[in-house]
Amino acid sequence: MIVPLFLMEKNLLSYPAFYISAYFDRTREEYYTRLRQISQSGDLNGWIAYFLNAIRTQALLNITRASDIVSLYDSMKGIIPQVIRSQYSIAVMDTLFQRPIVSSTDFMEISQIPPESGKRILQKLRDAGILDIIREGKGRNPNIYQFTKMVQIVENEIST
């Protein structure tokens, strides 16, 4: 969902699109049944009703996700500046909402925060429970961080 919204913001899409396949994955048995009914009995209306329901259901889920993301953003506007106490608060928020899973190297590159400040900020965000390390860096490989609350919103599937 985030990618289409980002592409819209950059004027690369003229309208938001969403991943309707998630609905088909959740209702796989009905999906195949509806397709079989088209070839077996010509029930195109059943397929159309199913497809329209898929669009409606997925759109409602995306509305909920978008609302949850906006609410998370609004809450982080008050939390992140308090946690990091830095001039880079906006850059940090923009980076985390753009890339909720990010390496420490990419975090500093995207946010354009100097490395020493970036390391300190990442540690403060981790200490505050805003970021989790999902892979420890070893050697030349950097830590991989996850903005868990954002990932949970995006990955949450509501049963239909």
Side-chain angles (χ1 to χ4, degrees), residues 93-148:
M93 287 192 45
D94 288 347
T95 302
L96 294 181
F97 278 85
Q98 180 184 351
R99 294 275 299 271
I101 298 175
V102 66
S103 71
S104 52
T105 313
D106 288 345
F107 174 83
M108 288 174 251
E109 183 180 321
I110 293 165
S111 66
Q112 299 182 342
I113 296 173
E116 286 307 311
S117 296
K119 289 176 190 175
R120 181 183 54 77
I121 288 168
L122 288 170
Q123 186 59 50
K124 285 184 174 188
L125 293 170
R126 185 176 172 206
D127 292 345
I130 295 169
L131 292 181
D132 295 310
I133 290 186
I134 58 173
R135 191 183 80 202
E136 290 280 344
K138 291 182 182 167
R140 292 182 184 220
N141 295 325
N143 287 339
I144 305 293
Y145 293 91
Q146 174 176 279
F147 182 22
T148 303

Side-chain angles (χ1 to χ4, degrees), residues 61-92:
L61 176 61
N62 289 346
I63 288 168
T64 300
R65 282 185 179 146
S67 176
D68 290 348
I69 290 168
V70 169
S71 294
L72 179 60
Y73 188 86
D74 287 343
S75 73
M76 288 293 120
K77 281 193 300 191
I79 295 169
I80 287 178
Q82 293 294 321
V83 168
I84 68 171
R85 299 194 180 282
S86 168
Q87 65 185 355
Y88 299 113
S89 294
I90 293 172
V92 168

